[in-house]
Amino acid sequence: MNQQTARMREIARELLEKKEVEMVIGWEKGTFFYNSTPVFITKPEDADKLIWDDYCAVNFAKLLMDYRYLDGKVAVFVKGCDARGVNRLIQDLVIKREKIYLIGMPCPGMKDAKIAAKLGQEKEAEVPLEGKCLYCTHPNPVIYDVLIGDEVPVEIREDRFARIKEFEEKSSDEKAQFWASQYDRCIRCYACRNVCPACNCRSCVFDQNQDWLERAVDRSGNQFYGLVRAFHVAGRCIECGECERACPMGIPIMLLKHKISKDINELFGEYEAGLDPEGDLPLGMYKADDPDEFM
Amino acid sequence: MKSLSKANLPQFLEALNQSSQVYVPVVVDGTSRFIPWEQGAELVLDKNSNIPPKYLFFPQTEDLYGYKIYKQSGERTELPSAMEPFVVFGIRPCDVYSLEVLDDIFLTKGYEDVHYKQKREQGLLISLGCLEPEATCFCESWGLNPLNAPTADIMMLDGGDQFLLKAQTEAGQKVIDSQAGLLEEFQGEPPVGKPCTLTVETKGLMERLQPMFEHAVWDEISRKCINCGTCTYLCPTCYCFDVLNKTRGEEGIKYRCYDSCMYPEYTLMAGGHNPRPTKKERVRQRFLHKFQYIPERYEGQIGCVGCGRCIVKCPVNLDISRVITRLWEVEADV
């Protein structure tokens, strides 16, 4: 057992014993060596289920939404991306800061479970990092009550806009064709929406009796879904990459998200969502000198 | 038993394709699924397809009939039925069995789903047995044989540099006879397969679950679920659909489309009441439907064939095999 795991269990047990929190949300070992899965601990004796390993990629900020009306507090372990997800929920007035206790986990980057499944345990050493961890800019939690271990050095392995710069070179026709073929395989399971901490609306436009979008899975409907979701989280997307990780069809959803983030940076100045629970959102406020090239 | 040299597979498929459209498992943009065969197609025969072949018989979106509306009156128009014979090459035994489950659902109890029935009658199944089940496969736990699908028209096994074929129905025998030039008599021993490494206890599961509707374990199991529809949409036995209209001006099409019990909207009633208001009720429904309601309604039928697709694709590793194990572990009383 690694030091972080031991410390996680110790903290969780203590919080539950002292009744400071009603529940602790962390990771436990799942089916295979490459599965670490959310676990919800309510009894001190269950704290030993908690683990910290190379596969704790799931961002469970979103799962906090189920517990926003609890009387007591919920403790949650947060990596850099999880912490930004929590900030997203706080800033969007979905949860209150005083109702959660955050245990920070400096994150060295998680391994790619899909590739691990293919390679097998014998070749575990060859498993690369999750795609979303390559362009991560904040591996250390940006908000926490207690931190386990020391902060890790920030090592950005891949410029998050590198793929965009390449993509922008394509012609409009090429781009349209690319996205048509990507979204043609969308099965509209809504995993990308349901895992997204920025998709926290009480009622989603896509669930409203098909008034806005028909349930028929076809090219125009699928693209409409992808585009509306991308624009709805514009300026609020914390770039945790969970949508792309969760997508069962492997659609490169973050390409859309990064394009919008890049445009926001260029239009309204450098901005990264979810770093601070306070403050104005670039698309949620008005300034007299906002650019208006489209007018 | 006959043998078909692997080098002759394209010729075999081309010959079949003359009389019926042949569907084969191919990777399209990173996802394997059954698509119309064409010369040069690279078949994925080492593992099962990501998308189950169910959709050849029960597509995700399917037009049912057309209509015209003129103010207070209207008329119904039949859509052209273009159903011609087709062949599914390389369907796995678990997926063949899933069609038997769908047969019970769509064709028994006094109602026949004509859209499903047409395709089922036209589809010929050439099944490929699994010599080495994947780590997420557990069909054997449901009493299925990864090497044999008894209701497939032709059963096939990988024999190294050749495929071994055995006709199991009259239609299958016709195919074998028609391709006699490419096939040889096989006398040797057929290959032996490995067992599934993932196993669960399924005996008596229905009876076990009958008194567990209100059990606290459903709350525990459902907590990590994000209520997306991945597991249901990739499941070869899930069959829920919604019937909807696509109206454009005075004309429209009535179509059906997969629906998922994972969605709150699935049970939302007029007036706003929802009998399955939280993920607990929805997750419970998914598992009880598979393990209790289907066996109850269709006398011992199973609602899961152990293909493992939901285990592979669940974004939070809500593993159906672990759920079954957990359902056995907990104390039966609430």
Side-chain angles (χ1 to χ4, degrees):
Chain A
M1 182 174 32
N2 57 40
Q3 283 181 348
Q4 290 98 322
T5 300
R7 187 81 185 106
M8 281 168 95
R9 294 176 180 180
E10 198 182 318
I11 292 176
R13 197 176 301 115
E14 200 178 308
L15 286 168
L16 289 165
E17 270 167 2
K18 290 185 176 164
K19 300 202 188 310
E20 285 179 30
V21 300
E22 282 188 42
M23 179 189 280
V24 180
I25 309 180
W27 303 267
E28 71 174 333
K29 210 54 217 155
T31 312
F32 299 104
F33 76 95
Y34 53 80
N35 295 125
S36 296
T37 171
V39 63
F40 304 76
I41 313 272
T42 51
K43 295 180 201 134
E45 60 269 28
D46 289 339
D48 285 346
K49 288 182 181 169
L50 290 164
I51 54 111
W52 173 253
D53 66 7
D54 288 336
Y55 299 96
C56 298
V58 180
N59 176 343
F60 35 50
K62 183 69 177 280
L63 291 167
L64 279 174
M65 283 181 71
D66 291 335
Y67 305 103
R68 64 185 139 165
Y69 301 123
L70 271 191
D71 291 335
K73 276 188 170 190
V74 177
V76 57
F77 290 92
V78 286
K79 308 181 294 292
C81 54
D82 305 317
R84 289 172 71 183
V86 169
N87 270 345
R88 171 80 283 120
L89 298 175
I90 297 171
Q91 196 172 16
D92 291 349
L93 308 178
V94 175
I95 51 170
K96 293 199 171 91
R97 177 67 180 94
E98 58 269 26
K99 299 276 277 191
I100 41 177
Y101 185 85
L102 299 171
I103 309 155
M105 306 296 294
C107 173
M110 291 298 154
K111 286 190 175 173
D112 191 314
K114 293 182 189 102
I115 298 178
K118 286 199 184 106
L119 288 177
Q121 198 151 15
E122 312 80 56
K123 293 189 184 164
E124 205 194 337
E126 294 170 30
V127 179
L129 289 182
E130 278 280 355
K132 67 177 201 164
C133 301
L134 297 176
Y135 52 72
C136 172
T137 53
H138 294 271
N140 294 302
V142 292
I143 181 173
Y144 57 82
D145 293 296
V146 58
L147 193 69
I148 293 188
D150 299 323
E151 292 204 343
V152 292
V154 180
E155 185 191 341
I156 297 165
R157 295 156 181 106
E158 201 175 85
D159 172 12
R160 63 200 230 271
F161 297 142
R163 287 198 296 176
I164 303 301
K165 285 168 194 153
E166 221 170 274
F167 196 77
E168 283 172 343
E169 302 295 315
K170 291 180 195 276
S171 70
S172 299
D173 282 349
E174 283 172 328
K175 288 175 194 164
Q177 208 177 4
F178 174 82
W179 286 115
S181 96
Q182 296 301 320
Y183 271 92
D184 274 356
R185 64 177 189 275
C186 171
I187 55 170
R188 296 259 287 280
C189 65
Y190 300 141
C192 53
R193 174 195 67 179
N194 287 15
V195 81
C196 175
C199 275
N200 52 41
C201 291
R202 211 171 288 181
S203 175
C204 175
V205 64
F206 300 121
D207 289 339
Q208 292 168 5
N209 297 314
Q210 288 95 46
D211 285 347
W212 296 96
L213 173 62
E214 283 161 345
R215 183 161 255 151
V217 174
D218 54 27
R219 178 172 284 186
S220 66
N222 292 358
Q223 293 196 29
F224 178 79
Y225 166 68
L227 276 176
V228 170
R229 207 186 78 78
F231 276 97
H232 201 191
V233 299
R236 300 187 306 116
C237 169
I238 56 156
E239 298 174 31
C240 66
E242 276 290 90
C243 47
E244 197 170 302
R245 187 191 65 81
C247 178
M249 297 294 115
I251 299 171
I253 307 172
M254 283 307 289
L255 204 53
L256 280 175
K257 305 289 150 56
H258 278 146
K259 167 65 180 158
I260 292 175
S261 296
K262 182 168 173 280
D263 284 354
I264 287 174
N265 281 357
E266 285 164 9
L267 289 167
F268 306 102
E270 289 290 319
Y271 182 78
E272 280 194 90
L275 298 185
D276 186 344
E278 307 290 328
D280 292 325
L281 296 161
L283 299 183
M285 62 162 171
Y286 169 73
K287 274 188 198 162
D289 61 351
D290 274 344
D292 56 1
E293 288 115 20
F294 59 92
M295 298 282 277
Chain B
M1 196 176 270
K2 303 280 182 185
S3 72
L4 166 71
S5 156
K6 282 190 179 171
N8 286 335
L9 181 63
Q11 262 177 285
F12 178 76
L13 294 173
E14 181 158 31
L16 288 185
N17 210 38
Q18 300 294 327
S19 52
S20 0
Q21 179 72 67
V22 177
Y23 289 87
V24 291
V26 166
V27 172
V28 184
D29 288 329
T31 301
S32 54
R33 61 173 76 216
F34 286 78
I35 61 164
W37 176 82
E38 49 188 60
Q39 196 62 255
E42 265 186 55
L43 275 55
V44 183
L45 297 175
D46 60 334
K47 46 175 67 177
N48 203 353
S49 62
N50 298 139
I51 311 236
K54 168 181 85 171
Y55 76 94
L56 297 172
F57 301 88
F58 171 50
Q60 180 155 13
T61 306
E62 181 172 32
D63 292 344
L64 303 176
Y65 60 85
Y67 54 82
K68 288 181 178 164
I69 321 161
Y70 320 100
K71 295 199 172 120
Q72 297 299 310
S73 65
E75 65 174 281
R76 181 183 147 145
T77 54
E78 293 299 329
L79 296 170
S81 168
M83 208 60 242
E84 287 176 356
F86 64 99
V87 173
V88 190
F89 180 87
I91 182 172
R92 300 292 174 151
C94 56
D95 289 336
V96 173
Y97 199 84
S98 80
L99 296 175
E100 293 178 46
V101 180
L102 295 182
D103 287 348
D104 272 356
I105 304 248
F106 284 131
L107 305 176
T108 67
K109 302 280 179 193
Y111 175 78
E112 283 187 347
D113 186 296
V114 51
H115 303 277
Y116 175 80
K117 192 179 176 198
Q118 276 175 356
K119 296 184 195 61
R120 198 68 172 98
E121 283 169 351
Q122 299 291 353
L124 182 117
L125 308 177
I126 303 183
S127 179
L128 176 62
C130 305
L131 293 175
E132 195 168 350
E134 292 171 57
T136 45
C137 292
F138 61 108
C139 65
E140 280 178 312
S141 296
W142 293 110
L144 307 184
N145 181 351
L147 294 176
N148 187 27
T151 58
D153 296 286
I154 295 175
M155 196 61 224
M156 194 165 65
L157 284 176
D158 189 331
D161 51 4
Q162 58 189 355
F163 288 113
L164 311 177
L165 282 75
K166 190 177 79 181
Q168 304 192 130
T169 63
E170 217 172 292
Q173 190 57 50
K174 271 189 190 162
V175 170
I176 299 264
D177 293 343
S178 71
Q179 304 304 323
L182 288 170
L183 303 173
E184 284 174 31
E185 201 62 41
F186 178 75
Q187 301 294 359
E189 283 294 306
V192 182
K194 289 184 184 167
C196 294
T197 49
L198 184 63
T199 57
V200 285
E201 181 54 77
T202 60
K203 198 165 170 264
L205 186 59
M206 177 185 88
E207 293 80 7
R208 164 80 180 172
L209 291 173
Q210 277 162 341
M212 282 177 72
F213 188 78
E214 299 286 2
H215 201 286
V217 73
W218 297 115
D219 190 39
E220 173 202 307
I221 287 172
S222 65
R223 276 181 171 164
K224 65 180 168 185
C225 177
I226 59 167
N227 270 167
C228 71
T230 303
C231 51
T232 53
Y233 284 180
L234 295 181
C235 175
T237 65
C238 272
Y239 61 88
C240 287
F241 61 85
D242 197 2
V243 176
L244 301 143
N245 305 318
K246 203 186 293 181
T247 310
R248 302 285 185 269
E250 288 185 335
E251 291 184 16
I253 284 174
K254 187 73 103 177
Y255 69 99
R256 68 173 167 192
C257 198
Y258 291 178
D259 202 350
S260 172
C261 55
M262 292 291 106
Y263 300 153
E265 195 200 14
Y266 181 87
T267 42
L268 185 62
M269 295 176 172
H273 174 64
N274 196 336
R276 294 186 203 139
T278 73
K279 59 171 83 166
K280 179 186 120 182
E281 294 85 10
R282 298 194 280 271
V283 169
R284 176 177 63 194
Q285 167 63 25
R286 171 166 152 75
F287 292 118
L288 285 186
H289 194 183
K290 294 203 174 302
F291 307 148
Q292 184 192 336
Y293 308 151
I294 287 180
E296 279 174 348
R297 184 169 162 82
Y298 302 101
E299 296 89 32
Q301 185 56 283
I302 51 175
C304 168
V305 294
C307 73
R309 288 186 178 90
C310 56
I311 304 178
V312 176
K313 293 295 187 183
C314 176
V316 290
N317 187 224
L318 208 178
D319 173 346
I320 192 167
S321 71
R322 280 168 46 112
V323 167
I324 297 172
T325 305
R326 187 71 189 132
L327 291 169
W328 283 111
E329 267 172 13
V330 292
E331 301 245 342
D333 290 324
V334 177

